[in-house]
Amino acid sequence: MFNAPIAGEGELFNVNPSLTILTPGDQLPDWVFADLRTDHAGEVGAVCIYQGVLKFTRDPVLRAFAEHHLATEQKHLLLISGWLPSMHYSRLLPLWRVAGFLTGALPALFGSKAVYATIEAVETFVNQHYEDQIRALESKPELSDLRQTLLDCQADEVAHRDEAAAALGSTRPNLVLRAWCAMVGTGSKAAVSLIRHI
């Protein structure tokens, strides 16, 4: 379970000393639980994406890429799970696991470029998703620990996006792959809207 720093430690807590800092296990506002539900389901899906890639690729470079990113996404899942009680998990997690697995497995069948393009598309969406939440938490100093958790996760996701883009290189996706990536982005956005409520 994630243990948040004790209030008063480090520069993170340069806020009103009489302010109560909310940490994992505290009761959070409903809108925060809704946001965290989307983050949790997203990280479950991200873990499954890389599991899908690893199931079907034999490319050693792509396997190393997927294994490294899988470890990071597993860390994110642990961090988010520390903030979100299991009673607030999405009831559709089995669906998100399948969707995530297919999002990794299908491109892996077509080669590394398809995987890198898919990851770049996914992480572009995830970066904006986290950014929206981080901005919403700017006015909530009592949730500074949570905001920092999301900032840390966002930084990792941006690194994943940039690493995938660098691996893709100057070769731009063909029409089919562009359509696939657009579908992945649109599907991710639709999933977030649904997960907030279910």
Side-chain angles (χ1 to χ4, degrees), residues 2-8 12-13 20-28 33 36 79 82-85 141-146 149:
F2 173 64
N3 293 315
I6 298 170
L12 179 62
F13 298 97
T20 300
I21 303 295
L22 299 179
T23 58
D26 291 330
Q27 184 62 37
L28 303 175
F33 278 140
L36 287 172
L79 288 170
W83 283 95
L84 186 68
E142 71 276 15
L143 290 170
S144 58
D145 276 9
L146 174 57
T149 296

Side-chain angles (χ1 to χ4, degrees), residues 39-51 65-81 119 122-123 126-127 130 152-161:
D39 298 336
H40 177 266
E43 297 298 349
V44 166
V47 166
C48 292
I49 286 173
Y50 292 110
Q51 290 172 338
F65 171 93
E67 287 166 355
H68 173 69
H69 289 205
L70 173 60
T72 304
E73 301 298 358
Q74 288 170 327
K75 180 189 77 173
H76 291 177
L77 181 56
L78 183 63
L79 288 170
I80 299 299
S81 296
I119 298 304
V122 168
E123 298 296 19
V126 173
N127 173 47
Y130 273 129
D152 293 343
C153 290
Q154 181 191 37
D156 288 337
E157 306 294 5
V158 168
H160 289 185
R161 180 200 66 197

Side-chain angles (χ1 to χ4, degrees), residues 82-103:
W83 283 95
L84 186 68
S86 59
M87 70 181 71
H88 290 284
Y89 290 0
S90 171
R91 296 192 300 277
L92 299 177
L93 280 181
L95 177 60
W96 310 138
R97 286 187 180 97
V98 171
F101 185 84
L102 291 174
T103 301

Side-chain angles (χ1 to χ4, degrees), residues 53 57 59 61-63 65 103-122 161 163-174 176-178 180-181:
V53 172
T57 188
D59 179 336
V61 175
L62 183 55
R63 288 189 69 81
F65 171 93
T103 301
L106 293 176
L109 293 172
F110 293 93
S112 60
K113 296 295 186 184
V115 173
Y116 296 137
T118 300
I119 298 304
E120 183 181 13
V122 168
R161 180 200 66 197
E163 188 178 341
L168 190 59
S170 59
T171 305
R172 297 325 303 163
N174 61 30
V176 173
L177 188 51
R178 287 200 306 272
W180 163 257
C181 290

Side-chain angles (χ1 to χ4, degrees), residues 125-144:
F125 170 80
V126 173
N127 173 47
Q128 187 57 55
H129 178 65
Y130 273 129
E131 182 65 23
D132 292 342
Q133 294 179 49
I134 289 163
R135 287 184 178 177
L137 291 171
E138 284 179 354
S139 62
K140 302 291 182 183
E142 71 276 15
L143 290 170
S144 58

